Amino acid sequence: MSRQHATPETRSVRLLKVGEQVRHVISELLMRQIVHDDVLTAHTISVTEVRMSPDLRHATVFVKPLLGADEDIVLKALRTHTAFFQKEVAGKLKTKYAAKIKFLPDESFDEASRIDALLNDPRVVRDIGRDEGLSED
């Protein structure tokens, strides 16, 4: 039987699937408070996204503490336990290589708030309202 060659589309789907599996494992570890760290147990942390490198050897994990409180402290605690997370992820996923995990803050919520504030600016609302009035004619 011949081996099928992976296309860029199937590789990207695979990256998304593995990234989602890594996200679920890390989320479960945090939710069940398996990591024995006072900072991590005191905060509710959302794992919003995991991006895998094309060779699946590196995982960039984007996290956000509830309401963005103590983000620096939470990131430091997560980074302290990186080896534990890597071991747990490798054990649960049974991939060929254990991915090196890197924790980063998720800035998408801040960016969304900034865009929302721009869209609610009175000058923008005035201009959008004027354009909507023209399109109804």
Side-chain angles (χ1 to χ4, degrees):
M1 178 184 260
S2 67
R3 182 176 172 191
Q4 293 180 350
H5 295 289
T7 64
E9 292 82 19
T10 57
R11 271 184 275 159
S12 65
V13 169
R14 182 167 184 236
L15 293 177
L16 291 172
K17 284 182 180 180
V18 173
E20 192 62 16
Q21 289 173 337
V22 171
R23 188 181 73 80
H24 281 281
V25 170
I26 293 174
S27 294
E28 183 179 334
L29 292 171
L30 291 170
M31 182 181 68
R32 294 183 184 218
Q33 298 180 349
I34 294 175
V35 183
H36 300 293
D37 186 288
D38 294 336
V39 173
L40 298 179
T41 55
H43 292 83
T44 302
I45 304 165
S46 295
V47 180
T48 56
E49 182 183 2
V50 175
R51 292 184 192 158
M52 300 299 296
S53 66
D55 61 0
L56 299 176
R57 290 186 186 219
H58 300 278
T60 304
V61 181
F62 293 93
V63 295
K64 189 74 168 179
L66 185 64
L67 303 175
D70 302 327
E71 190 171 84
D72 293 335
I73 297 168
V74 169
L75 278 170
K76 183 178 179 186
L78 287 168
R79 290 172 180 156
T80 301
H81 298 287
T82 299
F84 173 78
F85 285 109
Q86 288 174 183
K87 179 181 164 237
E88 290 294 316
V89 167
K92 296 216 190 250
L93 296 187
K94 303 201 183 339
T95 54
K96 188 173 182 179
Y97 302 103
K100 301 291 183 209
I101 294 175
K102 179 180 178 182
F103 290 100
L104 293 177
D106 187 351
E107 303 293 337
S108 63
F109 294 105
D110 299 331
E111 186 65 16
S113 295
R114 188 184 72 77
I115 291 170
D116 194 43
L118 286 172
L119 291 174
N120 287 325
D121 184 280
R123 295 171 294 182
V124 174
V125 170
R126 180 192 67 216
D127 292 345
I128 291 174
R130 190 177 299 154
D131 288 346
E132 287 175 358
L134 293 174
S135 64
E136 289 179 3
D137 289 337

